[in-house]
Amino acid sequence: MRNDKAVASGVRIVSVLGATGSIGDSTMDLLRAAPERYQVEALTANNNVQGLATLAKEFGARFAAVADESLLGELRDALAGTGIACGAGESAIIEAAERPADWIMAAISGAAGLKPALAAVDRGTTIALANKECLVCAGDFFMARALNAGANILPADSEHNALFQALSSGNRHELTKVIITASGGPFRTWAAADIEQATLAQALKHPNWSMGQKITIDSASMMNKGLEVIEASYLFALSPDEIDVLVHPQSIIHGMVEFSDRSVVAQLGAPDMRIPIAHCLGWPDRIVGRAATLDLAKIGQLTFEAPDFVRFPGLRLAYDALRTGQGATTVYNAANEIAVAAFIAQQIRFGAIARLVEDTLNAWIRAGNLAPLSSADDAIAVDHNARKMAATLLPQIAAKAS
Ligand code: NDP
């Protein structure tokens, strides 16, 4: 249970939003390795009550919240006699984010992570941001709110964490571009016609990373890289022309920064999310990591390819959306979430994911919906309406052969 003596002696108080997911799991692994350094305040999940309760008991959390309101009774039963407070529904997830913590991992998947992450931001604390949708949907406000509240946003996404580390080697005016690497996913060498017909099982076979289902499918379509380009733009205030993508199948170099003197500074590490998360957890210091040390002699070769914007149109669409601005990146993300869910439900082919995103973006622009977003609520409204538009377009995309 909670050790108040330890808290008094400078132990960091941490909360993990999305504790039962893939990033949550890596985060809990790091916390587990040094129990004397961390005290868990709040943990959240969507509907995995048993997983959440097990973690809450193991770490002596003060509060556990599940997003699905109907599961409150089950969570109460699972925590009975432990003294751990619990809640259910969106308000309980927000409460978890608002509870006092020195460090919060924001790892809820999808646009559902936006409001809780904003609640954490408003507390002016340090946030390890894994949820890229926060930036893709509402990047400007998110960063502005963080600045106003004095919150530290530490990128937990491996590529952005690499850039964050490399950027400290120079000044902003000396930067010429950043390079985000991409494994290329399971379909890197596939012909377009085969990618079109790829099955769910094939899309879920990522060559290097072990991640949640949605992001694994996004990696196969390279929509994930598109989301990361947008994420980098908002996070580091970069124009689309300052962000390059480089395919690097071994996933050892995660990101690079080129400076005006043509020096390129890179961050390397095994493809293990515990490395960027450990960097965020230790920041501004370094902690002892849990991932394997990098053995470059054993790896032997690092190879690179230019990305293919034709076989992977999702990447092209991300640059288009970023250049369009005014809510287009929010639409890009919303339409992709609808498309991925439809692919998982076997309503559309793999190749139709990008088509649904493109058609939704075009319909959005044709309808004259582009307008500057002036608040996070605007972004949430655009997200909501774009989902509806994508759902409306879905049947005709599903009916169309490639
Ligand atoms: P997972 O699907 O593995 O986990 C998602 C977590 O969020 C789970 O705890 C889940 O609960 C919870 N959750 C899902 N929906 C909701 C909701 N509506 N309300 C509240 N909680 C919810 O995802 P990942 O861990 O893979 O990814 C999390 C985020 O991190 C994503 O934004 C992803 O893009 C980003 N990311 C992930 C990387 C990775 O390696 N996995 C790498 C870089 C970024 P439950 O278990 O109950 O479903």
Side-chain angles (χ1 to χ4, degrees):
M1 293 300 293
R2 188 178 174 86
N3 178 346
D4 284 321
K5 267 194 211 146
V7 174
S9 65
V11 165
R12 277 187 115 180
I13 311 223
V14 304
S15 291
V16 183
L17 311 179
T20 50
S22 166
I23 292 283
D25 191 48
S26 295
T27 307
M28 302 321 283
D29 185 66
L30 287 160
L31 299 179
R32 191 177 282 120
E36 71 291 352
R37 292 184 58 150
Y38 308 107
Q39 179 62 58
V40 174
E41 177 69 25
L43 298 175
T44 77
N46 187 26
N47 50 30
N48 181 356
V49 168
Q50 294 311 324
L52 178 67
T54 302
L55 287 173
K57 286 190 259 188
E58 177 189 352
F59 287 88
R62 278 199 154 177
F63 184 68
V66 67
D68 185 335
E69 271 182 77
S70 69
L71 297 173
L72 181 59
E74 198 186 316
L75 183 58
R76 268 204 193 115
D77 290 348
L79 294 175
T82 62
I84 300 170
C86 64
E90 191 185 61
S91 60
I93 303 287
I94 304 238
E95 184 187 338
E98 285 173 339
R99 289 176 81 105
D102 307 314
W103 187 93
I104 298 181
M105 166 54 77
I108 290 174
S109 57
L114 177 59
K115 280 192 189 169
L118 279 170
V121 157
D122 288 344
R123 286 206 54 258
T125 190
T126 296
I127 294 151
L129 187 65
N131 175 291
K132 56 193 76 181
E133 293 85 355
C134 288
L135 293 170
V136 176
C137 295
D140 283 339
F141 322 110
F142 193 86
M143 295 310 286
R145 276 224 345 223
L147 194 68
N148 280 345
N152 295 310
I153 305 293
L154 305 178
D157 209 347
S158 56
E159 294 78 2
H160 305 77
N161 185 268
L163 298 181
F164 183 74
Q165 295 195 47
L167 280 166
S168 61
S169 296
N171 297 303
R172 176 64 180 89
H173 68 276
E174 296 154 351
L175 175 152
T176 50
K177 68 177 173 187
V178 304
I179 301 153
I180 298 175
T181 59
S183 70
F187 308 144
R188 179 175 63 87
T189 58
W190 287 31
D194 296 332
I195 297 176
E196 170 68 30
Q197 310 286 351
T199 64
L200 178 59
Q202 288 168 327
L204 288 175
K205 266 194 203 140
H206 196 282
N208 304 336
W209 295 94
S210 159
M211 308 182 286
Q213 190 181 52
K214 157 78 170 43
I215 188 173
T216 304
I217 295 168
D218 286 347
S219 296
S221 64
M222 290 196 77
M223 287 281 181
N224 181 50
K225 215 41 60 179
L227 293 169
E228 288 178 4
V229 167
I230 298 166
E231 184 184 2
S233 167
Y234 289 123
L235 201 47
F236 304 116
L238 298 166
S239 73
D241 296 334
E242 289 175 313
I243 309 168
D244 276 0
V245 171
L246 180 67
V247 176
H248 164 45
Q250 297 80 18
S251 298
I252 297 299
I253 298 178
H254 304 294
M256 302 182 241
V257 178
E258 184 194 81
F259 293 101
S260 51
D261 60 3
R262 301 294 182 256
S263 282
V264 177
V265 180
Q267 185 264 353
L268 287 75
D272 185 327
M273 284 309 293
R274 290 176 301 180
I275 297 177
I277 297 170
H279 175 260
C280 294
L281 200 50
W283 185 87
D285 302 317
R286 300 265 180 184
I287 60 172
V288 177
R290 299 266 292 158
T293 53
L294 187 60
D295 187 344
L296 284 174
K298 199 167 163 195
I299 293 164
Q301 276 193 333
L302 300 182
T303 59
F304 306 96
E305 298 160 21
D308 185 335
F309 291 90
V310 177
R311 283 185 306 129
F312 297 99
L315 188 53
R316 168 180 58 81
L317 291 170
Y319 278 99
D320 291 350
L322 198 48
R323 289 196 173 96
T324 304
Q326 313 202 63
T329 62
T330 318
V331 177
Y332 174 87
N333 178 66
N336 182 50
E337 286 195 21
I338 296 292
V340 170
F343 171 67
I344 293 171
Q346 301 191 331
Q347 292 172 308
I348 58 171
R349 290 179 181 173
F350 187 78
I353 294 176
R355 285 198 289 282
L356 182 59
V357 173
E358 183 153 29
D359 283 9
T360 308
L361 273 168
N362 288 340
W364 189 264
I365 293 167
R366 267 200 314 274
N369 283 323
L370 290 181
L373 304 180
S374 55
S375 69
D377 284 342
D378 269 5
I380 290 165
V382 170
D383 174 75
H384 182 74
N385 292 331
R387 278 165 202 271
K388 280 211 277 199
M389 191 173 262
T392 309
L393 292 169
L394 187 63
Q396 68 200 60
I397 292 281
K400 244 191 261 171
S402 64

